[in-house]
Amino acid sequence: MIKMQQVSKIYPNGVTALREVNLTINQGEFVYIVGPSGAGKSTFMKMMYREEKPTSGSFLFKGLEVGKLKNRQIPELRRQIGVIFQDFKLLTSLTVYENVAFALEVVGEDKEQIRKKVMEVLDLVKLKHKARNYPNELSGGEQQRISIARAIVNRPSLVIADEPTGNLDPDTAWEIMEVFEEIHRRGTTVVMATHNRDIVNKMRHRVLAIEGGKIVRDEEKGMYGYEI
Amino acid sequence: MKFNGFRHLREGAKGLVRNGWMTFASISAVTVTLLLVGIFAMVMFNVNKISENVEKDVEIQVFVDREADQAKIDAVGKQLEQMPGVASVEYSSKEQELDRFKEQLGEGSEAYQSVEKDNPLHDRYVVKATSPDETETIAKSVEKMENIDSVEYGEDYVEKMFNFLDGVRVGGIILIVGLTFMAMFLISNTIKVTIFSRRREIEIMRLVGAKNGFIRAPFFIEGLLMGIFGALIPIAVVIFGYEATYGVLQPQLMSVNASIFSLIKPSELSAQIALILLGLGAFIGVWGSTTSLGRFLKI
Ligand SMILES: Nc1ncnc2c1ncn2[C@@H]1O[C@H](COP(=O)(O)OP(=O)(O)OP(=O)(O)O)[C@@H](O)[C@H]1O
Ligand SMILES: [Mg+2]
């Protein structure tokens, strides 16, 4: 699904965030990206949904050279990818239902389909009963579940999460991880950057460790590996 | 793919309301600009009409020297009738001229008293050429005849008027261009504020794969609406204002020279000017919002 060859990223200010990364991620995998702060994890993820372009190298997503996509082709790419952030990025003036529906409305889905898909996905994240609430009436964990719902409502084949549990207490973090496990079980590829040692060590999946922009470790069922 | 027009319209209208005062300022700027454009356009349309009238005009006013006696005056008339290209000659004595003039002044006025004492007017011949092409040639040769005080024909009037209007035109164009830019600037600024206040929404739209056009449409419509709303008052003012002006001015101008100073009928201009102002308003609005979108809504 994802194939990177000699991918480097140098920001305009001269910072080299990724160095000659080679990597393959298959459909249906669950991959943790770990590494110290400033290692290049977010940069790596931004390249997948084409928020950033690689400076050099080849980055294929489903056979498409992502770095060479024209601006007007980017929406097509992003409809196949769901993105989740540490800070949820919900719209405070919209209800839970509207926040999730928003993602379908703006890609031109019709009303009937929107209703059906939104209710389905709210059911998956177990927040059907909060559909009419506003985000500021929800806990952090609930807000993150809404943002996950929004990311997957369009049934993307790849879900990218950048420190999705970064703002949450350990118990809530585990609840969120259950949701990701469920998404993964349904066949969706998940790539998650995280600093959460417990989760990586207990919910075992492939681990990619990045340091100074280089992949220093790539293990199936790996461990977090950094000592405090 | 479904039709999103209503959504864009709703979102665009929301932007208008949300920006309250800025929207008001933008619409006002468009209103002032278009008012001037409208008035200016009406003047220019009529100037063009008048120049056309001049081109079609066959009438030449010949004023005889005040010193000439009746024999000389009659001789001038004979000469005029025999000139090539002349279709008809009409005579009006200075007494007849005075009567007409007094009628216009109204009895009892000071001017009336003074012309009553001492008639300042000339005997006058109205010469009609067989075709407009002949008008100028005839006028030029009449000027060289003896016992002639002066000759007037269409181009004469119009030259005087044009000298005055040239100044108006240059000043008007500069003012309008300046105001147009100000209106565009205000609109683009309002749109910038909308973009800024919705940056979160825009970020998410991009993230979930909304098309560029879809993201832009509401802003585009917001600008368009401001331009169109800004055109409404000018359209009304210019149309009704012109009707009123026409009613007052036309009879007076007709008495000076009916064949040249006939203005365009309001009914012939209303639809045209409404379309021009609406189109220009829409253009200003769209242009203003497009510049803002180009700068602040890059992908
Ligand atoms: N837009 C940018 N412009 C310039 N430099 C950037 C930009 N984004 C990130 N960087 C730099 O690139 C390097 C990698 O940043 P990145 O955000 O990918 O790290 P990270 O692994 O996600 O860190 P963290 O764990 O703290 O989130 C850092 O040195 C950072 O300063
Ligand atoms: Mg990061």
Side-chain angles (χ1 to χ4, degrees):
Chain A
M1 177 180 239
I2 292 166
K3 196 170 165 66
M4 298 173 89
Q5 277 174 320
Q6 297 295 105
V7 170
S8 297
K9 173 71 194 178
I10 303 168
Y11 281 111
N13 62 1
V15 173
T16 303
L18 289 178
R19 285 169 214 270
E20 297 170 356
V21 172
N22 292 299
L23 167 77
T24 304
I25 296 174
N26 293 316
Q27 175 71 51
E29 274 195 276
F30 193 128
V31 184
Y32 291 119
I33 314 282
V34 302
S37 187
K41 302 185 295 296
S42 294
T43 304
F44 176 85
M45 319 206 62
K46 278 178 186 163
M47 260 191 300
M48 292 200 220
Y49 59 97
R50 182 48 204 278
E51 181 70 23
E52 297 289 349
K53 276 189 203 181
T55 310
S56 62
S58 154
F59 184 158
L60 300 177
F61 174 79
K62 292 187 170 174
L64 277 179
E65 188 63 73
V66 173
K68 294 213 173 75
L69 287 182
K70 301 217 167 57
N71 279 345
R72 62 183 164 74
Q73 295 172 300
I74 294 176
E76 259 332 301
L77 171 77
R78 294 199 178 159
R79 288 175 195 196
Q80 300 177 54
I81 301 175
V83 190
I84 295 145
F85 299 93
Q86 187 171 353
D87 60 355
F88 323 137
K89 294 195 195 295
L90 297 175
L91 298 172
T92 50
S93 59
L94 302 184
T95 64
V96 163
Y97 178 90
E98 289 163 344
N99 261 287
V100 179
F102 187 79
L104 292 175
E105 269 170 29
V106 300
V107 300
E109 188 73 271
D110 64 71
K111 244 190 153 99
E112 206 36 56
Q113 282 294 309
I114 290 178
R115 236 186 61 78
K116 196 169 138 269
K117 288 184 180 175
V118 173
M119 289 328 269
E120 251 174 54
V121 83
L122 284 180
D123 195 31
L124 172 73
V125 299
K126 302 190 171 60
L127 279 174
K128 231 174 167 172
H129 57 292
K130 298 268 170 119
R132 287 169 201 274
N133 288 69
Y134 286 88
N136 61 6
E137 299 164 352
L138 303 181
S139 72
E142 287 169 331
Q143 289 185 45
Q144 188 59 299
R145 267 142 67 193
I146 299 307
S147 103
I148 295 171
R150 181 179 64 194
I152 62 171
V153 70
N154 201 24
R155 298 176 186 161
S157 48
L158 171 65
V159 165
I160 297 170
D162 196 348
E163 299 184 39
T165 59
N167 278 350
L168 306 174
D169 65 78
D171 286 348
T172 314
W174 278 109
E175 285 170 25
I176 294 297
M177 287 312 295
E178 285 302 335
V179 178
F180 280 110
E181 280 296 312
E182 179 59 27
I183 294 169
H184 176 228
R185 258 197 299 280
R186 295 181 179 199
T188 308
T189 312
V190 179
V191 178
M192 180 186 299
T194 183
H195 287 292
N196 195 318
R197 159 194 320 276
D198 264 7
I199 286 173
V200 176
N201 288 346
K202 295 211 179 95
M203 266 184 186
R204 289 296 183 88
H205 291 293
R206 180 176 172 190
V207 174
L208 279 173
I210 302 184
E211 274 174 46
K214 279 184 111 60
I215 297 195
V216 292
R217 183 159 57 95
D218 182 354
E219 280 180 306
E220 280 304 327
K221 310 268 175 217
M223 298 281 283
Y224 185 76
Y226 294 98
E227 299 306 325
I228 309 167
Chain B
M1 203 63 193
K2 71 172 191 181
F3 177 67
N4 292 306
F6 293 117
R7 180 197 160 90
H8 296 321
L9 203 60
R10 191 184 69 218
E11 296 298 312
K14 260 196 221 166
L16 286 184
V17 175
R18 196 179 326 208
N19 289 332
W21 281 106
M22 292 194 68
T23 302
F24 180 75
S26 305
I27 291 178
S28 305
V30 177
T31 302
V32 172
T33 308
L34 293 185
L35 259 178
L36 275 166
V37 171
I39 292 166
F40 194 66
M42 290 319 234
V43 172
M44 285 306 154
F45 278 142
N46 278 297
V47 168
N48 283 347
K49 168 87 186 308
I50 288 169
S51 345
E52 264 170 41
N53 291 345
V54 167
E55 272 159 30
K56 281 186 278 181
D57 191 36
V58 291
E59 219 177 74
I60 303 157
Q61 314 278 337
V62 179
F63 298 95
V64 184
D65 253 339
R66 286 168 55 78
E67 278 77 47
D69 57 22
Q70 195 57 44
K72 282 179 179 163
I73 296 170
D74 290 344
V76 168
K78 284 262 152 51
Q79 244 181 309
L80 289 174
E81 271 165 17
Q82 282 157 15
M83 283 181 78
V86 169
S88 71
V89 177
E90 259 174 63
Y91 173 66
S92 153
S93 72
K94 44 172 158 301
E95 290 73 28
Q96 286 167 322
E97 291 286 289
L98 185 64
D99 285 342
R100 286 204 336 174
F101 192 52
K102 284 196 293 199
E103 243 170 71
Q104 282 178 21
L105 286 175
E107 242 168 293
S109 75
E110 222 170 280
Y112 185 91
Q113 304 291 335
S114 77
V115 294
E116 180 73 24
K117 250 185 276 150
D118 181 23
N119 182 357
L121 300 174
H122 297 262
D123 293 81
R124 180 173 69 130
Y125 284 101
V126 178
V127 178
K128 287 212 164 87
T130 47
S131 85
D133 300 340
E134 305 280 355
T135 312
E136 197 178 348
T137 333
I138 295 173
K140 287 269 149 68
S141 45
V142 173
E143 263 171 3
K144 289 192 206 106
M145 282 164 46
E146 274 176 32
N147 298 317
I148 301 296
D149 177 78
S150 63
V151 176
E152 274 181 18
Y153 61 109
E155 231 142 281
D156 234 34
Y157 285 117
V158 170
E159 217 158 278
K160 281 177 214 148
M161 194 172 71
F162 276 168
N163 285 341
F164 165 70
L165 278 171
D166 263 351
V168 174
R169 191 175 351 209
V170 170
I173 287 175
I174 290 173
L175 193 65
I176 285 170
V177 168
L179 281 168
T180 303
F181 274 107
M182 193 180 84
M184 285 178 180
F185 173 77
L186 280 172
I187 287 181
S188 95
N189 222 41
T190 310
I191 297 293
K192 187 173 90 182
V193 169
T194 312
I195 292 174
F196 191 73
S197 69
R198 302 191 135 187
R199 62 197 183 287
R200 199 76 198 243
E201 227 169 297
I202 294 167
E203 184 192 356
I204 291 160
M205 283 199 234
R206 279 188 188 146
L207 207 55
V208 299
K211 293 222 170 73
N212 218 357
F214 185 96
I215 298 175
R216 286 170 173 232
F219 301 105
F220 189 81
I221 284 177
E222 188 182 338
L224 186 68
L225 286 178
M226 284 193 271
I228 289 175
F229 287 150
L232 297 183
I233 292 176
I235 288 173
V237 168
V238 168
I239 287 179
F240 293 118
Y242 184 65
E243 248 168 60
T245 312
Y246 182 86
V248 174
L249 220 53
Q250 180 66 3
Q252 292 187 10
L253 288 173
M254 289 292 260
S255 71
V256 178
N257 186 326
S259 61
I260 292 179
F261 292 117
S262 68
L263 302 177
I264 306 173
K265 289 198 190 69
S267 57
E268 289 172 29
L269 263 185
S270 296
Q272 206 178 346
I273 198 74
L275 277 179
I276 289 175
L277 293 182
L278 201 64
L280 198 61
F283 172 75
I284 290 174
V286 165
W287 189 272
S289 66
T290 309
T291 53
S292 231
L293 288 174
R295 239 179 304 156
F296 303 105
L297 245 189
K298 288 207 185 91
I299 279 287

